[in-house]
Amino acid sequence: MEDVAQTSAPALEWETPLFQQARTQLDQALVQARVPQAVVERLRNPERSVVLSLPVRMDDGTIRSFPAYRVQHSSVLGPTKGGIRYDPEVSLGECAALAMWMTWKCALLRLPYGGAKGGVRCDPRALSPGEVARLTRRFTSDLAPFIGPELDIPAPDMATNEQTMAWMMDTYSAAKGYAVPGIVTGKPISVGGSVFRHEATGAGVVMVIERACARLGWDLTKLRCVVQGFGNVGGIAATELHEKGATVIAVSDMYGGVHDPNGLDIPTLHEYAVAHGSLEGFPGSTAVANAELLELPCDVLVLAAREDQVTEANAGSLACKLVAEGANGPTSNAADRILAERGIPVLPDVLTNAGGVTVSYFEWVQDRSRLFWDRDMIRTRLADKLSDAFDRVWELSSREVSTLRQAALVAGILEVSAALEARGIYP
Ligand code: GLU
């Protein structure tokens, strides 16, 4: 018998604090959305949760076992859609919360999808590329009965990328016997990926900030911005803000941040980060810890790292005029209340980071039609989709005197509820 080491047992409950946060938001939105009780019951729990234990051969020849999950919250509007993350914090509850948020996000953007999310509990930085490839292939193979271009379509999320999606697409296609590009989005362009998908989430964050500026009467070129997170979302949002003439005064990654009150040269900072493996020591900047970065005086604070960053403990100390959520769930419900009392609007995740899944939808449409669009067309269509959703959220929030998050959730929930009522519940 081979040596099998269990990393940790998969947790079977989704009743974790993050799921409670998502559910409390749903309950609060339902006070305003007023949908039938049977619909409420259907939407409070995920439709399907897949819990796996993945055996993976490590480079030293041993086999380790990794807990993995895929939660499909609602398939009312179409196939479920959402990312796959590799992170030590991945749990069933985290995936369930993120899957529920994907449902509201897709519905708000009027994409023909429900929400899903999945992941593997692992430390991706401690794994070799070969180990990540084998883990990805085994995950795809075990998930195969539960995913498909008409069923559930994974995409990148934290610590997964184009390469991960290429391995998923290849593993799924190998079992089918033909190439199935529509099984995942966020793929390399060479295997059916879409131009502008890589940039879409970060660029979308800035499109939403631009719409907010137009409503608030602010000039984007006069904004001083702080960006938490310098990965695929924060790194690109910082670049877009810089290119559009805003001043990015501080950014951070998971190890810490850099601050220059005169503005950071973001393209040079990207080169520096690649060359040095971190932001630390960037010429002309001073080091700033992640906690301090959130409290720097600025106009716009972009939260593009991970969930649970602004909480009851620090919401009172934020010194920004607007929060933009590039990550999913970065602001706790208690923090939301404090920010609302302080008059600091929050551009909510389900709207602000929806550029990623929207261009994923464009990718899937292109894969199905085998007809590919150019960058300008995708950028224009993305801006149109985000503007339309933004305007609906802004107007609902003004009319009902509610936060932008509450309005975004109400708008998304009403779309799902209308479809659920039309289809009927099949008990
Ligand atoms: N992981 C991204 C999100 O949270 C993208 C999901 C997708 O493209 O399906 O929205």
Side-chain angles (χ1 to χ4, degrees):
M1 266 306 278
E2 300 197 66
D3 178 25
V4 178
Q6 183 78 24
T7 309
S8 55
L12 280 169
E13 329 70 38
W14 16 266
E15 304 288 339
T16 60
L18 202 69
F19 187 70
Q20 292 301 349
Q21 179 178 330
R23 215 186 227 172
T24 303
Q25 289 175 357
L26 169 63
D27 290 340
Q28 284 167 355
L30 286 168
V31 174
Q32 200 176 322
R34 289 209 199 93
V35 302
Q37 193 53 33
V39 169
V40 173
E41 281 310 313
R42 190 76 184 124
L43 296 177
R44 287 186 95 238
N45 300 310
E47 281 176 17
R48 181 190 271 162
S49 304
V50 181
V51 179
L52 301 164
S53 182
L54 307 177
V56 178
R57 185 174 301 282
M58 308 306 284
D59 289 345
D60 65 6
T62 59
I63 293 175
R64 255 178 80 190
S65 179
F66 293 88
Y69 310 90
R70 183 73 178 169
V71 178
Q72 298 162 353
H73 171 256
S74 168
S75 61
V76 179
L77 290 171
T80 48
K81 186 85 192 81
I84 298 277
R85 57 173 59 182
Y86 293 168
D87 188 80
E89 307 270 300
V90 167
S91 67
L92 189 60
E94 185 190 59
C95 292
L98 292 159
M100 186 186 278
W101 285 326
M102 285 306 300
T103 298
W104 315 140
K105 190 187 302 187
C106 293
L108 172 63
L109 270 288
R110 297 192 167 148
L111 309 179
Y113 291 141
K117 191 73 94 180
V120 180
R121 193 189 308 157
C122 63
D123 179 359
R125 284 164 303 278
L127 300 175
S128 73
E131 288 166 345
V132 176
R134 292 191 290 278
L135 175 127
T136 302
R137 288 187 180 281
R138 180 66 199 221
F139 189 26
T140 310
S141 178
D142 286 7
L143 266 190
F146 309 101
I147 57 174
E150 298 289 345
L151 175 58
D152 180 17
I153 307 144
D157 199 82
M158 280 165 52
T160 57
N161 54 28
E162 285 92 345
Q163 177 61 75
T164 325
M165 295 304 115
W167 287 324
M168 291 193 81
M169 181 263 188
D170 183 69
T171 310
Y172 188 85
S173 299
K176 290 281 171 196
Y178 54 91
V180 188
I183 179 63
V184 287
T185 58
K187 302 176 289 296
I189 290 168
S190 58
V191 295
S194 176
V195 289
F196 205 62
R197 173 63 187 85
H198 180 75
E199 303 91 314
T201 313
V205 169
V206 178
M207 289 174 184
V208 172
I209 293 172
E210 279 182 301
R211 296 298 296 175
C213 285
R215 295 286 186 152
L216 294 163
W218 294 358
D219 177 353
L220 188 98
T221 65
K222 301 225 165 60
L223 296 186
R224 295 167 64 75
C225 308
V226 169
V227 182
Q228 186 200 33
F230 205 56
N232 185 40
V233 183
I236 291 180
T239 303
E240 291 271 327
L241 285 167
H242 181 82
E243 278 174 6
K244 288 179 185 292
T247 306
V248 180
I249 59 164
V251 302
S252 66
D253 62 16
M254 62 194 302
Y255 306 107
V258 286
H259 177 212
D260 180 350
N262 298 316
L264 295 159
D265 181 354
I266 300 297
T268 313
L269 180 57
H270 273 290
E271 283 166 26
Y272 181 91
V274 171
H276 294 78
S278 92
L279 303 169
E280 202 189 330
F282 182 61
S285 72
T286 48
V288 57
N290 251 312
E292 296 167 61
L293 176 120
L294 297 175
E295 299 175 10
L296 287 173
C298 64
D299 297 304
V300 182
L301 172 63
V302 179
L303 300 172
R306 60 178 309 139
E307 59 258 28
D308 209 25
Q309 296 302 298
V310 179
T311 62
E312 201 165 6
N314 62 0
S317 315
L318 260 52
C320 60
K321 301 196 182 93
L322 177 72
V323 173
E325 295 187 326
N328 292 308
T331 311
S332 74
N333 293 347
D336 253 347
R337 275 194 301 279
I338 296 168
L339 294 174
E341 277 160 25
R342 295 185 60 209
I344 301 174
V346 176
L347 298 173
D349 46 9
V350 292
L351 169 67
T352 312
N353 69 32
V357 72
T358 302
V359 178
S360 275
Y361 165 59
F362 297 158
E363 178 175 332
W364 178 76
V365 169
Q366 292 169 85
D367 287 337
R368 290 163 70 91
S369 62
R370 303 289 202 263
L371 180 67
F372 289 84
W373 313 343
D374 67 21
R375 203 182 167 79
D376 283 347
M377 166 120 137
I378 293 176
R379 220 187 150 110
T380 306
R381 288 194 166 180
L382 173 62
D384 288 349
K385 274 269 184 211
L386 288 173
S387 297
D388 171 60
F390 179 91
D391 290 348
R392 281 184 279 121
V393 169
W394 191 273
E395 265 133 42
L396 188 60
S397 146
S398 312
R399 206 169 56 235
E400 305 280 336
V401 199
S402 64
T403 62
L404 294 167
R405 184 184 320 283
Q406 173 87 357
L409 295 175
V410 168
I413 290 162
L414 287 176
E415 299 277 339
V416 184
S417 165
L420 195 47
E421 280 188 77
R423 285 179 56 161
I425 293 171
Y426 176 36

